[in-house]
Each structure stands twice: as structure tokens, then as C-alpha cells.
Amino acid sequence: MDIPQSLVLSTVTLGKVFANTVATYKFFWLLSILQIHAKTEGLRIGVWDIVIRMVANAWYPIHYFRLSFGKSDSLFNIVIELQKITGIPIDTDIETVCDSLRDRLGNSEIRHLLRILTLNVPYRFLHPWINTSNNNEMVARSQTLENGCLYALYRDDQEFYIELNSKWDSYLHDHYKILTDFVFWNLTQFLQVRNPNVPAISNKLRKPEQRDSLSPQHRYWDMVINIGGSIKCLYTGKELCQGGYDLDHFLPWTFVSHNLNWNLVPSDSSINSSKSNKLPDLDIYLRKLAEIQHYSLRTCINANRTPKTLEDYLSLGYAPRDLADMNDDQFMEVFERTFKPMNQIALNMGYSTWRYNRI
């Protein structure tokens, strides 16, 4: 992905800033600068404010979606340790994480962890413009805005901050959306290599403002029940009637990051709270899921109903009618090929297995 070019700014250099990247810090450093700058007219930004926002931006993909940043990524380890120390919930939004960490800067453990990000990140980001490995030299040369670099560094015993090059001010504001997309696009490529079998990486970098509605899927299952009668919850065995059920993501939404109907199943309302983000035991529940899904497709196809939700099943590699026409063993084989590899990947990421406990 390319960024808008300029005849007077070193945009070519900025466009290559993620070349040969071996850790995530550059992505989150630039993203945090862009976000802070977008909210203010000033050019001066405190380094502590930037590193706090780096942690906040990495919080959700690390804790909620359990993405790996690589074996030796310091930001990943810092975010993990900060959650243990602070107890900030894993699904907390960026601004709340920022506020919580800022309020706790007096805590020596927290300050020590955040300080690690101030030791190298501010300097190394400028390497494409200023070729030196000496931090003191980098500070001095950045203050001359050598090669049109993005910012100058200022550091003494009392303060540590960057001052954005004024020539970049309008460019950063005018192209904020493109530049943040540029960061996320490159971050997605970086993380996909380190999470090769994890689905929908790009959807796991930011906390969604709200989850997509499941209304179309509810209409599908209501139609199935309306045509064929009540169905049984595959977990509890309770009879489920139209409108009297919740839709459960069989594999957790935090792992699949989609609402495709073949991973959804009507369930008793008590299940969502107890199952949460756990993996249902495939030995117990996969065949039951396949049976309910196969029944729903046959019911829909035989009644000549064609809701848009049927398109979800195309991602299994077959047309909905072909799936409906399969015998039970053939259909089960499709579900085994689909769910068993994903279940194993989720287990490797730290998800735990769940079974319904009849109390």
C-alpha cells in the first residue's frame, strides 16, 4: 500500500519506514503519533504519552484476540505484564487504557515497563532519515530536521518529547485516514507471518465500536423452527422455540471474528455466560452441531427458501443445495475438515476446552 506523495516532503522515506521490520514497535509508535497529533494543533508530543498509547493500541489484539507478535517482541511482553500488574480488563478500550496507565505512572513497576519503550523506539524510528546508532547523535541531528525527518527529539533530565517537523503538519492532518490504514495494512502483513493459520488478522487489530447485528441469522433460524418445529439445544438438550433462544458462536467470535451462519447455533440462554470464549469439546459437540446445521439446510432448501444467509455456506466450499443433498457422514466430514484444524489452532493460542456442566 502506498501513501500520498509530496514534492516537498520526504514521503518516499516515510513510505519505507517499515522495511526490514523485526518487531511491532515501529507500527504502534507511528500509529500513536498520528492519533495524538490528530487531536491537537500542537506539534510537541511527550514520549511517555506516545508509549502509553502504544500499549493501549496493542492491548486489544494481544489480550482479547490473543495474537502473537513474535517470540522476542518487547512490546508484547510489556503489555502482558502490565495487564497482570494493573488488572485492567482485557477488552478495555484504548482511551480507558491510556487514562488508567497515566494515572498509575507513579507505580515503579509500571513506570519501569513503560520506560523500556522509551530507550530505543524514538531513535530507531528515525533511522530511515538519519543513519546513526548513537542516541545522543540522533537527538542532535534530528533537531536540525536532517533529510526532512518527521520529528526532532528533545531529551534532558526533566523532559523527553518529540516535536513534529512543521512542514509535515498539514500532511499528517489531511491524510490521517490513509496513513493509519497504511500502518494497519503493514501491521497485518507483519502479524500474518507470525500467525499464519489465524483467520481475519485485519479484523483483530482494533476493538470494533460495535459487533455486527445477528438479525439475519436469527431470521434464518426462526424460519427453520417455524417450518420444521422446535429444535434442541446441542449443549443442554432443552427444546428451543422461535424467539426463545440465543445464537452461540460455536468457535468463539474472538477467534473466528465473523458471524458466518455455519459457526452459529441456537442455544439455551444460559450457555453464553458459562461457555464464554471457550472451545466446545469437539468429541461431544461437533457431530451435534453438524446434525443441526444439516437439518437447517435441508429444511430451508426443501421449502424453497433462499435467504441471503445461505451464502455463508459457500465458504465451506460447497453450494448450500449440495450440502443439503449430502448424506450425514459426508456432511460430518465437511465439518470435521473445517472445525478440527481451527480448533487446534485456537488451542495452541491458549483457548481452553469447555463442556456443559449439568448442575
Side-chain angles (χ1 to χ4, degrees):
M1 178 182 175
D2 296 326
I3 61 173
Q5 295 301 300
S6 167
L7 296 176
V8 296
L9 299 172
S10 53
T11 48
V12 172
T13 304
L14 180 62
K16 297 178 180 178
V17 76
F18 299 130
N20 304 316
T21 302
V22 296
T24 59
Y25 68 84
K26 284 186 180 179
F27 304 110
F28 289 103
W29 174 258
L30 179 56
L31 177 64
S32 298
I33 289 174
L34 292 170
Q35 290 173 341
I36 295 170
H37 177 251
K39 296 179 179 181
T40 178
E41 296 299 319
L43 300 177
R44 176 171 166 167
I45 306 174
V47 167
W48 285 94
D49 289 329
I50 300 172
V51 298
I52 284 173
R53 187 162 287 270
M54 287 174 66
V55 168
N57 276 306
W59 196 269
Y60 207 74
I62 289 174
H63 291 304
Y64 194 73
F65 286 120
R66 308 186 190 201
L67 294 181
S68 171
F69 280 17
K71 292 182 179 179
S72 57
D73 192 284
S74 59
L75 177 59
F76 181 94
N77 296 327
I78 289 167
V79 172
I80 293 294
E81 288 304 311
L82 284 172
Q83 200 281 327
K84 292 178 181 177
I85 294 170
T86 64
I88 299 171
I90 64 173
D91 59 347
T92 303
D93 63 85
I94 290 174
E95 298 305 325
T96 302
V97 173
C98 285
D99 291 342
S100 298
L101 291 177
R102 204 174 288 116
D103 290 343
R104 291 174 166 91
L105 271 179
N107 181 297
S108 58
E109 285 185 281
I110 293 173
R111 194 171 183 86
H112 169 73
L113 288 169
L114 290 172
R115 184 175 177 274
I116 294 172
L117 294 173
T118 73
L119 299 179
N120 295 304
V121 183
Y123 313 96
R124 290 180 180 175
F125 186 83
L126 291 179
H127 279 181
W129 287 277
I130 305 171
N131 186 21
T132 178
S133 58
N134 183 290
N135 287 352
N136 290 328
E137 184 180 347
M138 179 66 79
V139 170
R141 291 169 64 179
S142 73
Q143 291 176 12
T144 70
L145 300 177
E146 183 173 321
N147 293 319
C149 60
L150 185 63
Y151 57 80
L153 284 160
Y154 292 88
R155 186 193 66 194
D156 58 32
D157 293 338
Q158 302 299 320
E159 293 184 297
F160 191 10
Y161 63 92
I162 69 169
E163 186 162 325
L164 292 169
N165 186 337
S166 61
K167 292 181 179 179
W168 285 90
D169 189 26
S170 295
Y171 178 89
L172 297 181
H173 279 301
D174 294 344
H175 302 295
Y176 172 77
K177 179 64 167 62
I178 296 174
L179 293 171
T180 54
D181 286 347
F182 169 72
V183 175
F184 281 119
W185 186 85
N186 281 278
L187 179 57
T188 298
Q189 311 310 306
F190 181 89
L191 292 178
Q192 191 66 72
V193 174
R194 287 149 184 81
N195 301 266
N197 298 310
V198 176
I201 292 288
S202 61
N203 294 334
K204 296 178 176 179
L205 302 182
R206 289 175 276 194
K207 181 178 181 179
E209 293 185 9
Q210 61 181 41
R211 296 260 289 269
D212 291 339
S213 169
L214 293 178
S215 295
Q217 293 84 353
H218 271 286
R219 288 194 293 270
Y220 172 88
W221 288 101
D222 280 347
M223 177 196 66
V224 170
I225 293 172
N226 185 51
I227 296 171
S230 63
I231 58 179
K232 288 186 178 181
C233 172
L234 65 84
Y235 305 116
T236 67
K238 293 181 181 179
E239 292 283 335
L240 304 175
C241 299
Q242 185 173 333
Y245 61 86
D246 288 341
L247 279 179
D248 171 63
H249 288 80
F250 187 76
L251 296 182
W253 181 86
T254 57
F255 175 69
V256 297
S257 196
H258 66 63
N259 295 324
L260 296 177
N261 202 54
W262 49 262
N263 187 54
L264 290 168
V265 63
S267 67
D268 181 75
S269 59
S270 65
I271 291 301
N272 274 336
S273 59
S274 61
K275 178 171 172 282
S276 188
N277 287 327
K278 298 183 178 66
L279 302 166
D281 190 326
L282 296 192
D283 292 338
I284 300 174
Y285 300 115
L286 184 57
R287 181 167 290 278
K288 294 180 179 181
L289 173 70
E291 289 173 352
I292 291 176
Q293 285 282 350
H294 203 190
Y295 169 76
S296 78
L297 281 169
R298 286 173 167 171
T299 300
C300 187
I301 297 296
N302 291 338
N304 292 317
R305 301 292 185 88
T306 57
K308 189 172 178 60
T309 312
L310 285 182
E311 295 177 5
D312 292 356
Y313 293 90
L314 293 171
S315 60
L316 295 177
Y318 298 89
R321 181 172 291 278
D322 293 336
L323 289 168
D325 290 341
M326 290 179 179
N327 64 42
D328 291 341
D329 289 338
Q330 291 171 326
F331 192 86
M332 179 62 182
E333 184 180 343
V334 172
F335 266 46
E336 285 180 335
R337 289 200 308 266
T338 301
F339 283 91
K340 285 188 174 180
M342 291 197 295
N343 188 76
Q344 185 59 53
I345 294 166
L347 287 171
N348 294 344
M349 292 173 66
Y351 285 85
S352 58
T353 301
W354 172 88
R355 299 179 183 182
Y356 175 64
N357 183 21
R358 298 177 185 273
I359 300 176

